[in-house]
Amino acid sequence: QVQLVESGGGLVQAGGSLRLSCVASGSIFSVNAMGWYRQAPGKQRELVASITSSRSTNYADSVKGRFTISRDNAKNTVYLQMNSLKPEDTAAYYCSADIVRWAWGTSVSYWGQGTQVTVSS
């Protein structure tokens, strides 16, 4: 069994900052790519940022220069530092991780339960 637990969401004024964390726990052999997605009411879930096990990163154009994704492989944890937040960043943010549970296993995507980020104008 594998669990992804996010934390760090909340209410912040425009221009403010938040740091999201996501910890993967359970029966884990290795963690490949990890990422953050978000979904606003009435919209599709979209990729915000992703990071490979070798720390190559990818960002949505809308957050480039404002958000930074990082990870601690020893702790199976991924972070999302969000600066210069805008009202349009308001959404539920979800963590995802591609996890191999056994040495002979295949990579499977797991999701967290989500954490709400609300940016007031």
Side-chain angles (χ1 to χ4, degrees):
Q1 184 172 340
V2 171
Q3 270 193 315
L4 270 62
V5 178
E6 301 109 331
S7 61
L11 173 64
V12 64
Q13 288 189 332
S17 298
L18 283 174
R19 189 192 195 208
L20 305 183
S21 300
C22 172
V23 181
S25 63
S27 177
I28 296 173
F29 176 74
S30 65
V31 182
N32 297 326
M34 304 183 83
W36 289 95
Y37 292 73
R38 67 186 181 187
Q39 186 168 20
K43 294 188 177 181
Q44 288 189 333
R45 188 172 296 190
E46 62 175 358
L47 174 68
V48 176
S50 64
I51 184 167
T52 67
S53 57
S54 58
R55 295 184 172 83
S56 293
T57 59
N58 180 51
Y59 295 93
D61 288 341
S62 59
V63 307
K64 283 181 181 176
R66 300 188 298 122
F67 291 9
T68 302
I69 189 170
S70 61
R71 64 189 286 170
D72 184 332
N73 289 337
K75 296 181 179 179
N76 290 334
T77 300
V78 63
Y79 306 96
L80 186 68
Q81 178 66 43
M82 304 185 293
N83 298 328
S84 303
L85 282 160
K86 304 175 181 180
E88 50 264 43
D89 294 318
T90 295
Y93 283 70
Y94 298 89
C95 168
S96 177
D98 295 335
I99 293 173
V100 178
R101 295 187 62 190
W102 305 282
W104 59 90
T106 57
S107 183
V108 175
S109 293
Y110 291 85
W111 291 85
Q113 80 288 351
T115 185
Q116 180 67 34
V117 171
T118 302
V119 184
S120 63
S121 57

